[in-house]
């Protein structure tokens, strides 16, 4: 095992606690001490609830000593993105006007982790309402990449990914509306999944039937992601997409992963007309060779699509409906970037929205076609590694010296499609560029094949052998 408790995977913490080789208080205190040491440098928490966490840890220790029935994550600390409701702990959505908002109940995902015995240690940073692929806001400033203070951590679940990457929380609840879990996972070298729609009930979605957003796990290992899904998944009356789903043992599926023999992978570097950096391509092609070495087959597929306009039409009209009154009332307390995004949707008509929903249906059939005769799709999660700290969503970006506009369309063209279609997608670290910035590999599976996707990810995680790599903690 790693020498420091904050480096232990959640699965190992849970096993040691259950075996009474480690106290929940000892584990929680060690991680809280590490949070206190690293938070000034990384700025990935909005709220740290140390007193409540230690009280929960003492209660968990008492339950352990009494011989009570224990949940699978008993005594394991976790964080929650500050866009997800937590009972009795402030949920600010990353905005100044809601900094004192304290929910009276947990989101379903949070409640289920608590029921599994996990201990909430704090709320991680998010741009205002999770509104961009970077993590900064007037409320808290900027969150730094775990591997480089000069680079963004991605977003919008940047705080969650940085906390996990830096050992400040073994488990993190994030959200993903267009890549918000997978983008920062790729930037920070951790595992970020967007499960099939409905696998984890989403109790805060306002549009239940047209929903494209997900409450998601972020962890350092595929097994820890599976353990989180085991706790968070399952039907709930709040979410129609969750109803009627069979029970799946995700952790057991991961433990049974052996190789990729007979599995068919289709790959694409980037949609037609988009660029990918030479270093990302090099690492990606090495990953394809790992797939083949494990017995899988790889073949390319062609992709002619530009999802960003579709995603923006659906997403920004939802945002305008939700946040236009807030912008009117508290505009001076919100960032210019957030206001600009809300205002950008004012000219969309009901016809525009409905046509976008028709296009969303066509996209689903397109992805189904890509998967016909294949077990998985694979592609780079991002077309280049982390952008410089301070980049704005309306700025331009560069890939290998070529300047490009439209960051969403050019940096993460492969994350938005699967929010629109509901297919499961996972980003796992597969290597580094010359600056020691992580590169992410995205695996996509057929609907409800999440367990098979996790098995493939676990096989590759073992083959890549990157779990011993940690960012510099000085």
């Amino acid at each position: 095992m790693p020498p420091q408790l904050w480096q232990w995977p959640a699965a190992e913490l849970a096993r040691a606690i259950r075996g009474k080789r480690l106290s929940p208080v000892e584990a929680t205190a060690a991680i809280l001490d590490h949070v206190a040491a690293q938070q000034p440098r990384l700025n990935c928490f909005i709220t740290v609830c140390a007193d409540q966490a230690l009280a929960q840890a003492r209660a968990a220790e008492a339950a352990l000593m009494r011989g009570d029935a224990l949940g699978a994550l008993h005594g394991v600390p976790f964080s929650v993105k500050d866009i997800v409701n937590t009972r009795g702990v402030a949920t600010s959505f990353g905005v100044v006007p809601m900094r004192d908002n304290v929910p009276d109940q947990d989101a379903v995902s949070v409640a289920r982790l608590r029921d599994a015995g996990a201990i909430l240690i704090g709320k991680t940073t998010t741009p205002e309402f999770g509104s961009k692929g970077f993590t900064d806001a007037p409320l808290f400033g900027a969150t730094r990449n775990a591997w480089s203070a000069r680079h963004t951590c991605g977003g919008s679940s940047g705080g969650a990914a940085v906390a996990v990457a830096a050992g400040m929380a073994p488990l993190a609840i994030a959200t993903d509306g267009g890549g918000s879990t997978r983008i920062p996972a790729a930037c920070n070298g951790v595992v970020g999944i967007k499960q099939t729609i409905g696998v984890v009930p989403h109790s805060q979605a306002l549009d239940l039937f047209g929903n494209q957003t997900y409450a998601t796990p972020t962890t350092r290992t595929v097994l820890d992601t599976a353990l989180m899904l085991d706790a968070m998944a399952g039907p709930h009356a709040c979410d129609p997409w969750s109803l009627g789903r069979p029970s799946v043992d995700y952790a057991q599926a991961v433990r049974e992963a052996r190789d990729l023999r007979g599995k068919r992978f289709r790959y694409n570097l980037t949609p037609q007309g988009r660029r990918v950096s030479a270093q990302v391509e090099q690492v990606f092609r090495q990953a394809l060779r790992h797939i083949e070495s494990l017995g899988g087959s790889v073949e390319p597929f062609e992709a002619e699509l530009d999802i960003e306009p579709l995603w923006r039409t659906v997403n920004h009209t939802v945002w305008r409906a939700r946040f236009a009154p807030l912008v009117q009332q508290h505009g001076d307390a919100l960032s210019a970037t957030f206001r600009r995004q809300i205002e950008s949707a004012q000219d969309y008509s009901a016809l525009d929205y409905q046509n976008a929903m028709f296009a969303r249906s066509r996209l689903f059939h397109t992805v189904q076609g890509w998967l016909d005769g294949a077990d998985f799709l694979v592609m780079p999660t991002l077309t280049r590694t982390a952008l410089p700290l301070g980049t704005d969503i309306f700025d331009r970006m560069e890939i290998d010296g070529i300047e490009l506009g439209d960051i969403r369309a050019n940096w993460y063209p492969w994350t938005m499609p699967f929010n629109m279609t509901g297919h499961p997608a996972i980003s796992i670290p597969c290597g580094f560029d010359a600056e020691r910035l992580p590169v992410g590999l995205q695996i996509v599976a057929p609907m409800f094949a999440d367990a098979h996707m996790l098995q493939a990810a676990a096989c590759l995680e073992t083959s890549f052998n990157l779990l011993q790599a940690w960012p510099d903690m000085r």
Side-chain angles (χ1 to χ4, degrees):
M1 289 300 303
Q4 303 289 337
L5 281 176
W6 52 263
Q7 293 179 298
W8 286 29
E12 296 299 335
L13 287 173
R15 184 180 298 115
I17 289 169
R18 184 179 294 273
K20 297 183 180 179
R21 300 187 305 277
L22 178 66
S23 158
V25 175
E26 183 182 6
T28 301
I31 289 172
L32 285 171
D33 286 346
H34 188 58
V35 169
Q38 298 300 322
Q39 169 65 8
R41 181 175 67 90
L42 295 172
N43 191 30
C44 58
F45 279 89
I46 291 179
T47 299
V48 177
C49 41
D51 291 343
Q52 299 97 312
L54 288 170
Q56 293 171 51
R58 287 189 287 270
E61 184 174 276
L64 180 69
M65 301 311 294
R66 287 194 303 267
D68 294 355
L70 305 179
L73 296 171
H74 189 82
V76 178
F78 75 105
S79 68
V80 177
K81 182 180 180 180
D82 208 21
I83 204 170
V84 179
N85 284 340
T86 45
R87 182 188 72 252
V89 178
T91 301
S92 72
F93 298 87
V95 298
V96 172
M98 298 190 70
R99 68 194 316 165
D100 297 320
N101 172 58
V102 180
D104 58 8
Q105 63 180 8
D106 287 325
V108 168
S109 55
V110 176
R112 288 180 171 179
L113 277 193
R114 290 194 202 255
D115 288 344
I119 294 172
L120 175 65
I121 61 167
K123 304 297 292 291
T124 54
T125 52
T126 172
E128 295 154 302
F129 295 104
S131 58
K132 59 183 179 180
F134 306 106
T135 303
D136 59 80
L139 178 63
F140 59 86
T143 298
R144 294 167 185 81
N145 189 292
W147 293 83
S148 167
R150 297 181 295 104
H151 289 85
T152 178
C153 63
S156 63
S157 305
V162 171
V164 169
M168 299 164 75
L171 306 174
I173 292 179
T175 66
D176 194 313
S180 284
T181 296
R182 291 159 288 153
I183 296 163
C187 285
N188 294 279
V190 296
V191 178
I193 189 173
K194 185 212 70 64
Q195 63 279 347
T196 302
I197 191 168
V199 165
V200 174
H202 194 347
S203 52
Q204 292 177 242
L206 296 184
D207 179 358
L208 292 174
F209 297 97
N211 179 44
Q212 69 190 58
T213 63
Y214 303 71
T216 58
T218 294
T219 69
R220 269 187 58 84
T221 74
V222 175
L223 177 57
D224 285 355
T225 289
L227 287 170
M228 283 190 76
L229 279 181
D230 281 341
M232 295 163 66
H236 192 282
C238 73
D239 185 346
W241 295 112
S242 75
L243 301 178
R245 303 292 178 222
S247 176
V248 178
D249 190 331
Y250 297 103
Q252 185 59 31
V254 168
R255 291 186 176 107
E256 292 173 355
R258 295 294 179 266
D259 55 45
L260 300 175
R261 281 182 293 179
K263 299 302 181 184
R264 298 154 298 178
F265 290 76
R266 288 187 178 150
Y267 71 88
N268 186 285
L269 265 173
T270 188
Q272 191 173 53
R274 302 297 176 196
R275 302 185 67 88
V276 65
S277 78
Q279 291 191 48
V280 167
E281 179 174 358
Q282 180 182 21
V283 173
F284 177 71
R285 294 200 182 278
Q286 289 172 349
L288 295 181
R289 290 192 284 274
H290 279 270
I291 291 172
E292 291 178 315
S293 73
L294 292 167
S297 63
V298 299
E299 63 175 7
F301 74 94
E302 297 297 322
E304 298 183 28
L305 76 164
D306 183 6
I307 296 305
E308 198 276 338
L310 160 62
W311 181 89
R312 179 164 27 89
T313 300
V314 174
N315 191 76
H316 282 29
T317 50
V318 170
W319 285 354
R320 184 162 180 80
R322 288 182 62 189
F323 305 132
L326 184 74
V327 170
Q328 283 187 327
Q329 186 175 359
H330 297 287
D332 291 343
L334 303 169
S335 70
T337 295
F338 181 73
R339 297 196 307 268
R340 182 175 172 183
Q341 291 190 91
I342 303 309
E343 291 162 1
S344 72
Q346 64 185 350
D347 295 328
Y348 290 131
S349 68
L351 188 62
D352 293 329
Y353 178 83
Q354 193 58 62
N355 280 327
M357 296 303 283
F358 294 157
R360 182 177 180 179
S361 297
R362 292 193 297 272
L363 175 63
F364 172 81
H365 291 296
T366 296
V367 175
Q368 291 289 89
W370 292 337
L371 286 161
D372 187 21
D375 296 288
F376 306 105
L377 307 176
V378 286
M379 60 278 292
T381 310
L382 303 173
T383 58
R384 55 154 290 169
T385 51
L387 294 171
L389 188 68
T391 305
D392 185 75
I393 197 67
F394 291 109
D395 289 345
R396 299 178 69 81
M397 60 176 280
E398 65 87 17
I399 293 179
D400 294 344
I402 305 297
E403 190 173 285
L404 304 165
D406 196 343
I407 284 175
R408 285 194 182 100
N410 286 291
W411 193 30
Y412 45 94
W414 274 128
T415 63
M416 293 175 285
F418 310 110
N419 290 86
M420 296 282 96
T421 67
H423 291 83
I426 188 169
S427 179
I428 62 172
C430 63
F432 296 90
D433 72 2
E435 293 187 80
R436 195 68 174 162
L437 291 171
V439 176
L441 175 75
Q442 182 171 243
I443 307 170
V444 181
M447 300 286 283
F448 304 108
D450 303 64
H452 295 300
M453 182 178 73
L454 286 165
Q455 285 182 322
C459 289
L460 286 167
E461 177 182 69
T462 299
S463 184
F464 295 151
N465 193 29
L466 296 173
L467 290 179
Q468 77 284 359
W470 284 88
D472 188 350
M473 295 294 171
R474 291 176 295 177

